[in-house]
Amino acid sequence: MASLAEDDQGQGASRIQNPEADDKKKKNSNMAPTSGNSIHRSSSRPQLDVSKAEIQGNFEEKHPTILLPNQSDDISHLALDLGGSLIKLVYFSRHENQSANDKRKKSMKERLGISNVNRRSYPILGGRLHFVKFETNKINECLDFIYSKQLHCGGLESHYSDNVADRNAIIKATGGGAYKFADLFKERLGVSIEKEDEMACLVSGANFLLKAIRHEAFTHMEGQKEFVQIDPNDLFPYLLVNIGSGVSMLKVDGDGKFERVSGTNVGGGTYWGLGRLLTKCKSFDELLELTQKGDNRAIDMLVGDIYGGMDYSKIGLSASTIASSFGKAISEKKELEDYRPEDISLSLLRMISYNIGQISYLNALRFGLKRIFFGGFFIRGHAYTMDTISFAVQFWSKGTAQAMFLRHEGFLGAFGAFMSYEKHGLDDLMVHQLVERFPMGAPYTGGKIHGPPLGDLNEKISWMEKFLQKGTEITAPVPMIPPGTTGLGGFEVPLSKGSTLRPDASALNVGVLHLVPTLEVFPLLADPKMYEPNTIDLSDHNELEYWFTILSEHLPDLVDKAVASEGGTDDAKRRGDAFARAFSAHLARLMEEPAAYGKLGLANLLEMREECLREFQFVDAYRSIKQRENEASLAVLPDLLMELDSMDEETRLLALIEGVLAANIFDWGSRACVDLYHQGTIIEIYRMSRNKMQRPWRVDNFDDFKERMLGTGDRKPTPHRRALLFVDNSGADVVLGMLPLARELLRRGTEVVLVANSLPALNDVTAIELPDIVAEAAKHCDILRRAAEAGDLLVDAMISPSNSSKESSTSVPLMVVENGCGSPCIDLRQVSSELAAAAKDADLIILEGMGRALHTNLNARFNCDALKLAMVKNQRLAEKLVKGKIYDCICKYEPAN
């Protein structure tokens, strides 16, 4: 199971019942030092050899691996921040190698001018960055975890451990524990710790995350989380406040340019230390959980307590203002045991959080800084803590300064240490090359359920089944309730009764970062910085609830198809059940906290569903359905082409657009369309849809598109050079809708690139499936055959005639590229290098289908002509986007900006 910010009660804890008792045994057996050949050496840095580097993979692979055949040194995989309270790990795992020899893909890359060598030669290969934490007093569990995954030797298998001649292997680490535990790491793992400056690592980690992660920074006021998009060109200067055991405040002026300007010894260690003494809690998280039921008024002295319930209005202090934290303990004749631990915990949290917020602002004021970023594991994504800090900054600054928080708050130092390995090249990565995923894991569960943070698929399913057998539901965290009042210095803060706020103590909102160096920003976007793919805003709770209901209702049907696609075996049924429960748990979590995984749009929900299917090894749930519908559609394609050829030019163009809209009715992601499948065959439904095509459509720019294509009067326009056709569903949609339209463009001398998914999503056609579909269609059409030959789509097809006939050499090519995603939607900030290369010479984009033209990109603007075609198959979508009804048609044409 891919890691989230894994819980320290996970895999390591379950494996070792008494770590200390086993230390001696492990040192002499299974934790012997591993091979120096697989780890960095302190005497020399690893060098990257990119000679003959080649991207390995096929159309099915979303994250291709870069093969380095001449690489001798290994790239480091692990860095740590060994703090006084917590150990934070950042580790990297490569994507598995998958060799492929795809002639079509190689030929197409040569045609588009894409080199097989990765253009930026990233030392970090395609892979994943994981984030894990352990309590420092459980360091043995941390060492067991590192050893179990062989992270200290680059993630390689333990058979390398036979060679122990070179014991100069090193791993990067920062924090006080890098000194304190150096001998233990050498003794237990056979590695040396190379110590990195703590402050430099914090700044380096923060700078990278703020530049590279789209939804890294956010504000938190009155229980509401709002993400802030940071312009990398306008990031500096800022104040970085790292709240660990103590607090450091750093003025950051640029990459590698910073100064520690202040700090305080009252921090997370203070809260935990005093809290442990006063409440007997055994962990930081346990102490935070107490705040849920706390009431600070039982122990804090308020202004009203001093003034008989009155405000001190002359200086702007309300009666509910805290005059003195723990002040009531002075006058009340009570002993420690007379106070509730919950009240003590909440009062202590407020006292420390308020003071950190105030001191931070005063330091920001010294240097004229408007932005203050708070990090460190004291915060823990804890709503109450963030609200308290935010209000302190807002009050003392009178709204001129803003407190912002980081989703990877506790991993800044570890991330900086990871980046300190030379030649990683991470500083060149930008947002479009990082994809965050949220696999199902123990931290997603509510209550006190803790499962293994990592493991194979079988362990993951077994973990879920174990709790189900015990009748324990997988639940979301306690919901957030709008805050009330009470405060410090006269400003409004959450209710003093902390029971209404979710603490987020264990549910760290950090996913796995997939590094995909081959992803690029779509070059034809008019303004990439202003581009927002999601047209449905799920910040509205009613909107969110509606779409969650839709996805939940569709889930049983999807599970049935997924299980059937794997032969209906018992194993498939078991995985199907696990998928359903995992995805339902994601939905439940997001219902309670929509911003848990970053800014949420409908496209994100749909993509999460597909990722969840893949997580439980359902590669293509609609495989057999797609094959059946492709065969049925191809059987009637010749008749359709003959009918189109009998029409005059203007009539044919309208018929082609009508055909695309009519064929787009076939969408297994739509409940309305699933119901239609029970009323007739695919051809009958297509004909019915064609017969109901009546203009004007809900959005109808066809006449503008016709004028661009055909001109007016005697003026004949220049044909487009290259058209990118973003295709949608298999079957009639692509065969009877988009292929005839592509054929028309080819006939007019326009190169056509069919853009399809890299990975399956519902019944969407994939790039690996399209060449076979085109080959079958080409058997009945000379135009398609010549174009497919020119585009090298028929290099393996039986119908291909002798090499390079005269007619094919003069034909414009028909090509296929993958889009780089595996979702019903597409985010044009993250597309494949193939698509980006193909787009450079394109002057027409056709986006087809609800996912690509409505859910995303309805409002997108391009530097070329764009045509957006879709049939609306959801009533809510029709009302929200086009103020129409189900089965309305969208034909939106936008000329180049």
Side-chain angles (χ1 to χ4, degrees):
M1 181 189 300
S3 162
L4 192 72
E6 283 121 335
D7 198 288
D8 54 12
Q9 299 183 44
Q11 191 176 18
S14 62
R15 183 185 300 112
I16 307 294
Q17 298 300 319
N18 188 355
E20 287 77 6
D22 291 343
D23 282 354
K24 186 175 181 181
K25 179 180 178 181
K26 290 182 187 289
K27 281 182 281 184
N28 296 327
S29 58
N30 69 327
M31 298 195 75
T34 55
S35 167
N37 291 332
S38 59
I39 321 172
H40 288 293
R41 295 150 181 80
S42 56
S43 57
S44 63
R45 298 293 185 202
Q47 298 299 309
L48 187 75
D49 187 346
V50 296
S51 60
K52 296 185 179 180
E54 183 177 0
I55 296 177
Q56 297 290 297
N58 53 42
F59 283 111
E60 286 289 329
E61 189 179 1
K62 182 173 182 181
H63 309 304
T65 296
I66 303 171
L67 178 65
L68 302 178
N70 297 326
Q71 178 68 26
S72 55
D73 288 333
D74 283 297
I75 306 301
S76 57
H77 278 217
L78 171 68
L80 303 97
D81 180 357
L82 297 157
S85 305
L86 292 168
I87 300 171
K88 288 78 68 176
L89 288 77
V90 173
Y91 72 90
F92 176 79
S93 63
R94 290 186 179 98
H95 288 302
E96 294 180 3
N97 241 339
Q98 290 187 17
S99 60
N101 183 20
D102 194 318
K103 294 180 183 177
R104 293 190 186 110
K105 193 167 185 178
K106 182 177 180 181
S107 175
M108 183 272 302
K109 283 189 173 186
E110 291 172 352
R111 178 180 294 278
L112 296 176
I114 303 174
S115 170
N116 278 334
V117 179
N118 185 278
R119 286 163 298 147
R120 297 174 71 176
S121 299
Y122 286 115
I124 286 292
L125 314 183
R128 309 171 183 88
L129 277 167
H130 307 260
F131 304 87
V132 191
K133 72 176 177 71
F134 291 90
E135 291 182 10
T136 304
N137 61 12
K138 296 179 181 178
I139 189 169
N140 288 312
E141 293 179 12
C142 176
L143 294 169
D144 289 337
F145 176 83
I146 292 171
Y147 181 80
S148 70
K149 300 193 72 62
Q150 294 289 285
L151 299 179
H152 56 307
C153 52
L156 300 176
E157 296 299 327
S158 58
H159 62 261
Y160 284 95
S161 63
D162 294 338
N163 181 3
V164 294
D166 185 351
R167 298 194 179 187
N168 291 324
I170 67 164
I171 55 176
K172 296 278 192 175
T174 188
Y179 299 87
K180 182 177 180 180
F181 299 117
D183 292 342
L184 184 60
F185 272 78
K186 184 71 173 179
E187 184 181 8
R188 294 283 300 276
L189 298 176
V191 298
S192 297
I193 286 181
E194 183 163 307
K195 305 165 186 69
E196 295 295 323
D197 180 74
E198 186 171 359
M199 298 301 141
C201 287
L202 286 171
V203 172
S204 176
N207 285 347
F208 172 78
L209 291 165
L210 285 167
K211 289 179 181 180
I213 311 278
R214 186 173 293 116
H215 297 138
E216 176 65 26
F218 62 92
T219 59
H220 204 287
M221 296 282 287
E222 297 184 354
Q224 299 300 311
K225 180 185 289 185
E226 183 174 339
F227 287 93
V228 178
Q229 183 58 44
I230 304 296
D231 183 351
N233 299 317
D234 189 34
L235 173 60
F236 307 110
Y238 67 85
L239 187 71
L240 176 61
V241 181
N242 189 66
I243 314 173
S245 298
V247 183
S248 287
M249 300 178 186
L250 300 101
K251 178 177 177 283
V252 183
D253 294 305
D255 291 320
K257 299 177 183 178
F258 67 91
E259 176 188 2
R260 187 180 189 275
V261 295
S262 187
T264 172
N265 58 352
V266 180
T270 312
Y271 178 60
W272 192 349
L274 284 176
R276 185 172 180 273
L277 291 174
L278 296 173
T279 68
K280 308 303 180 185
C281 283
K282 294 182 175 58
S283 73
F284 192 101
D285 287 350
E286 184 182 351
L287 188 62
L288 276 181
E289 287 173 8
L290 285 180
T291 63
Q292 284 184 280
K293 300 178 181 179
D295 184 348
N296 73 303
R297 291 172 298 189
I299 196 167
D300 288 341
M301 182 182 293
L302 308 182
V303 169
D305 294 325
I306 300 173
Y307 288 92
M310 306 256 320
D311 295 337
Y312 191 171
S313 55
K314 188 174 182 179
I315 58 174
L317 298 181
S318 68
S320 60
T321 300
I322 299 174
S324 175
S325 294
F326 289 86
K328 282 186 179 175
I330 299 172
S331 56
E332 294 178 337
K333 295 180 179 179
K334 293 182 179 179
E335 299 299 326
L336 177 60
E337 55 270 18
D338 296 325
Y339 291 99
R340 295 195 319 142
E342 293 87 347
D343 302 336
I344 293 173
S345 176
L346 184 61
S347 180
L348 187 60
L349 179 66
R350 282 193 168 188
M351 179 183 75
I352 294 171
S353 299
Y354 282 143
N355 278 274
I356 291 173
Q358 182 177 7
I359 295 171
S360 299
Y361 166 66
L362 292 175
N363 277 283
L365 183 64
R366 286 175 61 198
F367 300 100
L369 305 175
K370 301 300 182 184
R371 281 185 181 145
I372 310 173
F373 293 105
F374 291 86
F377 260 121
F378 168 72
I379 300 172
R380 303 283 181 100
H382 190 269
Y384 208 92
T385 305
M386 291 186 290
D387 269 357
T388 306
I389 292 173
S390 294
F391 278 111
V393 171
Q394 182 192 51
F395 176 76
W396 292 111
S397 72
K398 295 181 170 60
T400 62
Q402 192 174 33
M404 286 182 279
F405 304 91
L406 304 174
R407 293 178 55 224
H408 292 79
E409 57 190 18
F411 294 98
L412 303 183
F415 210 115
F418 184 83
M419 292 180 64
S420 69
Y421 287 107
E422 292 184 8
K423 299 186 182 298
H424 262 353
L426 276 173
D427 54 328
D428 291 327
L429 283 168
M430 290 308 290
V431 61
H432 55 273
Q433 291 153 336
L434 286 165
V435 183
E436 192 169 13
R437 303 293 183 210
F438 296 89
M440 190 63 203
Y444 285 172
T445 61
K448 297 183 178 180
I449 302 174
H450 297 288
L454 285 173
D456 60 26
L457 179 64
N458 189 59
E459 287 177 342
K460 184 187 304 185
I461 297 173
S462 297
W463 166 70
M464 298 183 74
E465 290 177 339
K466 180 175 71 172
F467 287 108
L468 291 171
Q469 289 168 0
K470 290 183 177 181
T472 307
E473 292 185 2
I474 297 177
T475 60
V478 179
M480 190 86 68
I481 291 178
T485 60
T486 277
L488 168 73
F491 55 91
E492 303 297 301
V493 298
L495 283 168
S496 58
K497 296 258 331 154
S499 58
T500 59
L501 289 174
R502 177 182 49 73
D504 279 343
S506 298
L508 298 169
N509 304 326
V510 180
V512 177
L513 292 181
H514 291 244
L515 304 185
V516 192
T518 55
L519 289 182
E520 300 186 25
V521 176
F522 189 60
L524 293 176
L525 285 174
D527 188 351
K529 288 185 178 180
M530 296 300 294
Y531 171 76
E532 170 54 53
N534 286 292
T535 53
I536 299 296
D537 183 8
L538 296 185
S539 60
D540 182 330
H541 185 80
N542 291 331
E543 195 70 25
L544 187 68
E545 189 173 21
Y546 171 80
W547 287 104
F548 279 13
T549 301
I550 291 291
L551 291 175
S552 297
E553 290 176 349
H554 184 249
L555 193 56
D557 183 64
L558 178 57
V559 171
D560 289 344
K561 287 179 172 58
V563 172
S565 72
E566 297 289 317
T569 64
D570 289 341
D571 174 68
K573 292 175 182 177
R574 188 168 175 244
R575 285 186 284 122
D577 182 63
F579 154 71
R581 297 185 185 281
F583 184 56
S584 296
H586 278 301
L587 293 181
R589 171 81 193 274
L590 289 168
M591 271 300 293
E592 303 299 350
E593 190 191 359
Y597 306 156
K599 188 176 180 180
L600 186 64
L602 182 55
N604 305 114
L605 277 182
L606 298 177
E607 185 172 18
M608 179 173 286
R609 178 182 60 190
E610 301 304 321
E611 286 293 328
C612 210
L613 276 169
R614 285 188 278 274
E615 184 183 358
F616 290 94
Q617 296 183 2
F618 291 106
V619 178
D620 190 351
Y622 287 78
R623 184 190 301 116
S624 60
I625 292 173
K626 290 192 293 184
Q627 290 173 348
R628 185 170 65 247
E629 293 186 354
N630 286 337
E631 291 171 1
S633 301
L634 285 164
V636 299
L637 178 62
D639 291 339
L640 174 62
L641 297 181
M642 188 180 300
E643 178 186 343
L644 290 167
D645 288 343
S646 68
M647 300 175 181
D648 62 75
E649 193 175 45
E650 186 173 328
T651 305
R652 184 169 67 244
L653 186 61
L654 177 59
L656 285 165
I657 298 302
E658 287 179 340
V660 171
L661 294 171
N664 190 235
I665 197 171
F666 298 99
D667 188 342
W668 281 93
S670 164
R671 171 56 58 187
C673 295
V674 172
D675 294 339
L676 274 179
Y677 278 95
H678 301 298
Q679 300 175 19
T681 67
I682 185 172
I683 303 305
E684 289 171 341
I685 298 170
Y686 172 71
R687 286 173 179 161
M688 174 196 72
S689 182
R690 282 295 301 269
N691 292 335
K692 290 186 176 181
M693 288 283 123
Q694 292 185 357
R695 295 183 64 197
W697 300 314
R698 175 54 57 181
V699 176
D700 193 339
N701 302 138
F702 172 76
D703 291 337
D704 295 332
F705 179 66
K706 180 182 72 173
E707 182 176 342
R708 171 60 184 88
M709 292 292 290
L710 306 181
T712 55
D714 297 332
R715 186 179 62 84
K716 295 296 181 184
T718 303
H720 291 96
R721 295 187 308 275
R722 176 182 290 171
L724 303 181
L725 274 60
F726 288 76
V727 297
D728 189 8
N729 305 303
S730 293
D733 198 2
V734 66
V735 175
L736 304 181
M738 292 300 278
L739 273 184
L741 180 58
R743 176 177 177 262
E744 181 69 17
L745 291 166
L746 292 165
R747 171 186 270 164
R748 294 174 179 278
T750 300
E751 291 183 358
V752 174
V753 180
L754 300 176
V755 183
N757 269 15
S758 300
L759 295 172
L762 292 172
N763 63 320
D764 288 3
V765 68
T766 63
I768 199 171
E769 296 165 339
L770 263 180
D772 291 335
I773 295 173
V774 171
E776 285 299 313
K779 291 178 180 179
H780 311 288
C781 175
D782 287 342
I783 296 174
L784 289 176
R785 177 179 59 79
R786 290 194 300 269
E789 287 174 359
D792 297 309
L793 290 181
L794 303 183
V795 291
D796 297 325
M798 296 296 293
I799 68 166
S800 180
S802 58
N803 293 337
S804 301
S805 65
K806 185 178 294 185
E807 63 177 5
S808 67
S809 65
T810 59
S811 250
V812 290
L814 172 64
M815 295 172 281
V816 171
V817 301
E818 56 181 310
N819 58 20
C821 77
S823 166
C825 304
I826 184 168
D827 183 343
L828 293 175
R829 293 171 298 199
Q830 295 178 307
V831 303
S832 70
S833 56
E834 291 178 6
L835 175 53
K840 289 174 183 176
D841 292 323
D843 51 359
L844 173 63
I845 294 173
I846 299 180
L847 289 158
E848 183 241 355
M850 284 208 307
R852 293 156 187 80
L854 294 184
H855 293 159
T856 53
N857 301 305
L858 179 65
N859 303 316
R861 302 291 295 177
F862 300 96
N863 291 323
C864 67
D865 294 347
L867 181 65
K868 301 167 186 178
L869 301 170
M871 177 179 283
V872 183
K873 289 153 289 192
N874 177 277
Q875 184 62 47
R876 184 74 159 232
L877 197 67
E879 295 169 355
K880 287 285 181 179
L881 297 184
V882 295
K883 295 181 172 58
K885 59 185 184 300
I886 197 168
Y887 301 131
D888 272 344
C889 293
I890 308 300
C891 177
K892 186 177 183 181
Y893 173 67
E894 298 164 330
N897 282 343

